[in-house]
Amino acid sequence: MALCFGDRSLTYAELAAATGALAAWLPRGGRVAIWATPALETAVAVVAALRAGAAAVPLNPKSGEKELGHILSDSAPSVVLAAPADELPSTVRQLPRLDVDVAGTGGPALAPSPGDEDPALIVYTSGTTGPPKGAVLPRRAIATTLDALADAWQWTGDDVLVHGLPLFHVHGLVLGILGPLRRGGSVRHLGRFSTEGVARELNEGATMLFGVPTMYHRIAQSLETDPELGKAFGRARLLVSGSAALPVHDHERIAAATGRRVIERYGMTETLMNTSVRADGEPRAGTVGVPLPGVELRLVEEDGTAITSYDGETVGEIQVRGPNLFTEYLNRPDATAAAFTADGFFRTGDMAVREPDGYVRIVGRKATDLIKSGGYKIGAGEIENALLEHAGVREAAVTGEPDADLGERIVAWVVPADPQSPPGADELADHVAGRLAPHKRPRVVHYLESLPRNDMGKIMKRALHRA
């Protein structure tokens, strides 16, 4: 079996027939929008676009009309592919529509195979600092990333992947759908994530799980009260978390209940995957492993000077170079030029430290997570992990705000485990200072009912100051 979505599935032969029939209707070398619901039709549509040599533009069904309008105007697709029953918003209905028939067969011979540098996907970034930008991902980037992950994770055609990730982003779509297909394996998509759904699939032969931290947090909570779930998750060959940092305390809870360590990897829309903990390596909680084959990674100071000695403490911005990179931001030569250094490294905007043995630990985003306080450069991520080790904290985020004396003071945003009896600000500050260092303690604590997150589970820190 190639693809399974609930009680609907396709073998490789059926997938080839359905995608061949659909590809015959698609423009060679053009662009096609795909209404990317978590359904079998989305997977068929993307594979058909790849077979036709067209660039697929996945559309997030939860996007508003303004964002959809921007994406469609910017990418100018000639047609939108959707499941027959999908209701499309008015902005999208202006495009010619082609319904995806997952039972289709036939179709004329396809055009010659496209080249490695031809666009495969145009994936729009989240747009936190302006309108979303379309990252043009060539076929070369997808192939090299998936092959590098196969090396790192010992991923073969015998593996069965289970996940419930959205299919409009590279995590769920490239890794979660195209990854198993490139290996000749299979994927079972849950449609909607649930701990019970994952456990069922693992009990029925699935070998790998891809998820985001919010999913693993729910898994960790469920494992504490249901030993049978622990047995199911213990059957997994590989538990992989990505898209944001997985708190250390969730790592430990899952390992204790299952005997399996979650491994993390690090990537971006523009770079696909850069690093990962290897299947045959040490699954060190709080790190994203080592650079994948073919990926060059360096840390640089604020002035661009490369950090040459890695001590596990010095914070620098991650820059990467390799065949996994995108080619450009569509219609944005200025943004493309600004994203790269003169020697071809991509400026990720992510801050990290690197251990002497090469392991990378992300400490946050340069724009929102690097706090300069009292002459120190502090990553918000390590403070968040320390806060989450406190029994009275269910969720935590850390930001900086201006301070006349310190430059910036550390601010903690906490969702207490017991809203009726939250831990005090001094207690939390002492807790952090005792685990990290006094200068990393939060000076201000805000209590919230929940943290604002996007569809991939990432905390939207810019929204915190409006909370």
Side-chain angles (χ1 to χ4, degrees), residues 1-5 8-15 18 40 44 102-103:
M1 196 64 66
L3 301 170
C4 182
F5 284 71
R8 307 168 70 213
S9 61
L10 291 176
T11 64
Y12 273 92
E14 291 167 337
L15 177 63
L40 190 58
V44 169
V102 299

Side-chain angles (χ1 to χ4, degrees), residues 106-432:
L110 298 176
S113 297
D116 288 345
E117 295 302 316
D118 288 344
L121 295 171
I122 301 174
V123 181
Y124 278 78
T125 62
S126 57
T128 55
T129 58
K133 299 189 291 290
V136 179
L137 296 168
R139 302 169 77 91
R140 167 257 305 160
I142 294 173
T144 55
T145 276
L146 295 178
D147 292 346
L149 290 177
D151 176 85
W153 295 345
Q154 300 174 0
W155 192 354
T156 73
D158 293 328
D159 280 305
V160 178
L161 171 66
V162 57
H163 76 88
L165 296 162
L167 301 186
F168 55 82
H169 199 263
V170 296
H171 190 174
L173 181 57
V174 175
L175 273 63
I177 298 295
L178 300 182
L181 296 180
R182 185 163 179 84
R183 300 274 70 80
S186 61
V187 57
R188 301 177 188 173
H189 196 285
L190 299 173
R192 180 182 293 274
F193 169 84
S194 72
T195 301
E196 295 73 22
V198 173
R200 180 187 66 247
E201 297 298 343
L202 291 173
N203 280 329
E204 294 179 1
T207 62
M208 302 168 67
L209 167 66
F210 292 173
V212 297
T214 50
M215 295 175 179
Y216 280 104
H217 181 70
R218 293 175 201 166
I219 290 169
Q221 289 180 310
S222 299
L223 288 171
E224 290 181 337
T225 58
D226 189 342
E228 290 303 311
L229 286 177
K231 294 178 183 177
F233 280 85
R235 293 187 175 95
R237 184 180 74 79
L238 215 57
L239 302 173
V240 184
S241 181
S243 295
L246 179 63
V248 172
H249 81 302
D250 284 335
H251 271 283
E252 300 305 329
R253 290 197 292 172
I254 292 170
T258 68
R260 295 287 182 184
R261 286 266 175 192
V262 178
I263 68 170
E264 294 188 80
R265 86 297 180 282
Y266 161 64
M268 301 178 67
T269 301
E270 294 93 337
T271 67
L272 296 181
M273 295 302 109
N274 299 309
T275 73
S276 181
V277 173
R278 295 181 60 87
D280 56 0
E282 179 188 352
R284 200 177 300 168
T287 78
V288 293
V290 296
L292 290 168
V295 177
E296 297 177 71
L297 182 147
R298 68 186 183 190
L299 302 184
V300 301
E301 301 279 8
E302 288 182 78
D303 62 1
T305 303
I307 297 171
T308 56
S309 179
Y310 296 122
D311 56 10
E313 291 292 335
T314 305
V315 176
E317 181 189 0
I318 297 173
Q319 294 183 351
V320 292
R321 182 170 66 182
N324 56 312
L325 297 189
F326 77 133
T327 53
E328 64 174 337
Y329 290 117
L330 188 65
N331 303 322
R332 292 290 304 274
D334 54 338
T336 303
F340 287 91
T341 63
D343 54 352
F345 278 81
F346 176 73
R347 300 181 170 100
T348 68
D350 288 317
M351 308 300 293
V353 300
R354 197 168 183 185
E355 304 292 342
D357 62 2
Y359 270 65
V360 176
R361 179 161 51 88
I362 310 291
V363 299
R365 290 288 293 166
K366 185 176 182 179
T368 57
D369 295 324
L370 182 65
I371 302 167
K372 299 176 183 177
S373 183
Y376 295 97
K377 288 193 294 184
I378 303 167
E382 59 181 344
I383 304 173
E384 290 164 353
N385 266 324
L387 287 167
L388 287 167
E389 292 176 9
H390 190 289
V393 175
R394 182 158 62 88
E395 293 183 89
V398 169
T399 61
E401 66 181 21
D403 184 276
D405 180 42
L406 298 169
E408 284 186 292
R409 56 178 170 267
I410 298 168
V411 180
W413 306 77
V414 169
V415 177
D418 180 3
Q420 303 304 315
S421 181
D426 290 342
E427 179 183 346
L428 292 176
D430 291 343
H431 173 82
V432 170

Side-chain angles (χ1 to χ4, degrees), residues 45-70:
V46 171
V47 174
L50 290 173
R51 292 191 66 186
V57 184
L59 301 179
N60 178 359
K62 294 184 179 179
S63 292
E65 294 265 1
K66 182 177 180 181
E67 184 170 296
L68 287 170
H70 164 74

